[in-house]
């Protein structure tokens, strides 16, 4: 497939779980609440990932499963009903309640789908109760978003109207800019999933053409297809080239005149290439190793190689959906090593052996690698940053040049003291 060599690896993993995605989902849909059914560990994870919210009452929480629940001594269902009742009485503005499964709730086999069904019949449409899994046993952190969006799909009304549906959380400002560009291309009906309000769900049907903004939404793409939508095949909108190809693919799907497309996208591309220049100078020739965590690794590798001149040592990805990723794989250089899955110890041995200039990895691995003198970039930062679109290409490159710059400063400082 393309120029890449695809291999699989299994073994111990070192990734954040799907609960982490609550941090960006709750910001996107302020009328939704995410109730994790989990342990104190789960509560600590989202509290520390999201930071303490001082000015707003948080839109997520944890129904703590105590030892008695875990030992099967108490009825966790009763307890959960009580927590939900209290929460909804206190927070009448909640319109959608996501019950989010965790490792502990899966281990004791709480059937959250059944709980959601029961609560929905009691609440009679006042609040929609949905469920998905964020458990670390089966998800990495971006898959939490895939689960949440998939859970929303059955609530989307049906339509036959022709429309473009952008799927995957984007920063609001980026979404506005992209929607505006599509409108200039003559694609006037553009909707988004997730929407900005959880009850403002877009309609879906045979006239819907889906453009995935994020590469980790395999399950959501599948259920959207089941509702009659067509998935537009394209690379993902990271970097000037990827974003342009992404927009061009949508324009082709809507039969937009080629000359109009080029007249709108060419000036943006020229501007982006100019803005990329200083970062390209810092990144070109540097060796990059991506450990699997976010599923953004393949589009990032494509951008950092083709537009910033980095050499790809290894590209890890937790999962590989070959169909969705085919346009990306086709753009990788010949013989790029793409490894699906993880055996963290073997992978770290390869990092030490190859001594790359930069490693993209999870927070848990970054500190030990930094201590060994290897520069790192946290993959989680990429989902919190507005990096999509032609205009954002330089900002994306800057995220990778920053740790190299820092390492240079440190090295120079050390030399000055020798
Ligand atoms: S869901 Fe599992 S991996 Fe995630 S915080 Fe809870 S116990 Fe840890």
């Amino acid at each position: 497939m393309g120029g890449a060599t695809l291999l699989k690896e299994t073994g111990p993993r070192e990734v954040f779980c799907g609960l982490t995605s609550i941090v960006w989902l709750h910001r996107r849909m302020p009328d939704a609440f995410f109730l994790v059914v989990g342990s104190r560990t789960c509560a600590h994870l989202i509290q520390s990932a999201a930071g303490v919210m001082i000015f707003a009452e948080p839109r997520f929480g944890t129904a703590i499963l105590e030892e008695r629940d875990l030992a099967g001594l108490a009825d966790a269902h009763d307890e959960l009903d009580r927590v939900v009742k209290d929460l909804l009485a206190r927070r009448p503005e909640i319109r959608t309640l996501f019950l989010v499964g965790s490792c502990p709730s899966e281990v004791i086999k709480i059937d959250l789908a059944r709980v959601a069904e029961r609560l929905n019949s009691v609440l009679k449409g006042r609040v929609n109760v949905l469920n998905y899994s964020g458990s670390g046993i089966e998800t990495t952190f971006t898959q939490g978003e895939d689960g949440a969006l998939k859970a929303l799909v059955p609530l989307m009304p049906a339509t036959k109207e022709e429309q473009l549906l952008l799927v995957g959380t984007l920063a609001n400002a980026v979404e506005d800019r992209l929607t505006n560009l599509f409108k200039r291309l003559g694609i006037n009906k553009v909707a988004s999933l997730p929407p900005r309000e959880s009850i403002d769900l877009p309609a879906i049907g045979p006239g819907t053409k889906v453009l995935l903004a994020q590469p980790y939404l395999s399950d959501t793409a599948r259920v959207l297809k089941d509702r009659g939508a067509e998935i537009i095949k394209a690379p993902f909108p990271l970097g000037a080239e990827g974003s342009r190809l992404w927009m061009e693919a949508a324009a082709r799907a809507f039969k937009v005149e080629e000359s109009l497309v080029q007249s709108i996208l060419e000036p943006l591309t020229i501007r982006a290439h100019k803005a990329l220049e200083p970062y390209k100078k810092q990144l070109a020739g540097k060796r990059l190793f991506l450990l699997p965590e976010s599923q953004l690794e393949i589009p990032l590798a494509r951008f950092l190689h083709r537009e910033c001149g980095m050499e790809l040592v290894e590209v890890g990805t937790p999962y590989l959906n070959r169909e969705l990723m085919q346009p990306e794989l086709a753009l990788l250089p010949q013989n790029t090593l793409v490894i699906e899955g993880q055996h963290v110890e073997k992978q770290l041995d390869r990092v030490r052996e190859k001594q790359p200039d930069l490693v993209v990895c999870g927070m848990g691995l970054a500190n030990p690698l930094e201590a060994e003198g290897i520069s790192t970039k946290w993959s989680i930062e990429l989902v919190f940053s507005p990096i999509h679109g032609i205009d954002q290409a330089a900002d994306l490159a800057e995220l990778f040049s920053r740790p190299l710059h820092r390492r240079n400063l440190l090295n120079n400082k050390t030399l000055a003291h020798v």
Side-chain angles (χ1 to χ4, degrees), residues 15-20 36-46 100-105 134-137 139:
V15 291
F16 270 132
C17 66
L19 298 188
T20 320
V36 176
V37 184
S39 63
R40 290 187 197 282
T41 311
C42 310
H44 286 309
L45 174 98
I46 50 166
V100 190
S102 66
C103 307
S105 73
S135 147
I137 299 170
T139 61

Side-chain angles (χ1 to χ4, degrees), residues 288-289 291 348 351 356-379 381 399-404 406-407:
L288 176 71
F289 198 120
L291 291 172
L348 287 176
V351 169
D357 295 294
L358 184 64
V359 176
V360 178
C361 60
M363 283 161 89
L365 295 174
N367 280 349
L369 288 173
E370 288 280 345
E372 292 177 31
I374 297 173
S375 295
T376 59
K377 172 94 244 148
W378 294 348
S379 46
E381 239 186 289
L399 286 177
F400 294 90
S401 69
R402 216 183 289 160
L404 292 175
R406 198 174 128 255
R407 174 69 54 189

